[in-house]
Amino acid sequence: MATELAPLTDSAIEERLAELRGWSRVGDEITRSFGIRYHGGVAMIVHVADIERLIGHHADIDLRWDRVRFGITTHDAGHKLTDADFDLAARIDRIAAAHGAEPNV
């Protein structure tokens, strides 16, 4: 896990973002929103939280009545972007697809 917590360079971040369609960099965080009705969003968040608990890495989550926004950074690396952030983002993409969430609302 130590290599996952090493902050990435700007060029490495850009390369990783190119692999994850729909995610955007905002400072030292990557973000993405999904369109989903409130109760579906709650179910999706619970699913994400179960995975986060297992891998020991967590996103900031903002739930609204018609969308869910995820913001990811590595707090243990000084709020910098690491490989762990991009791994979690890919997992969130798969979970969102399984819940029928609409990307980038």
Side-chain angles (χ1 to χ4, degrees):
M1 184 82 158
T3 57
E4 283 192 337
L5 294 181
L8 297 172
T9 64
D10 286 336
S11 61
I13 291 167
E14 292 306 315
E15 287 177 22
R16 296 298 305 267
L17 274 176
E19 299 168 4
L20 289 173
R21 295 181 60 196
W23 288 86
S24 301
R25 181 180 184 181
V26 179
D28 287 321
E29 177 181 70
I30 54 173
T31 68
R32 186 169 187 187
S33 295
F34 296 91
I36 190 166
R37 295 297 300 244
Y38 184 83
H39 288 84
V42 170
M44 183 172 78
I45 288 169
V46 169
H47 191 165
V48 169
D50 284 342
I51 297 302
E52 290 174 332
R53 181 181 50 81
L54 291 173
I55 66 173
H57 195 53
H58 302 86
D60 291 328
I61 303 170
D62 180 29
L63 172 64
R64 302 299 169 128
W65 75 271
D66 64 343
R67 71 184 183 293
V68 177
R69 179 194 168 276
F70 295 92
I72 309 172
T73 190
T74 301
H75 303 287
D76 292 342
H79 299 273
K80 298 294 182 183
L81 289 166
T82 68
D83 283 329
D85 301 316
F86 291 92
D87 175 61
L88 178 55
R91 291 170 188 257
I92 289 171
D93 283 348
R94 290 189 294 273
I95 292 168
H99 285 267
E102 294 292 324
N104 295 330
V105 173

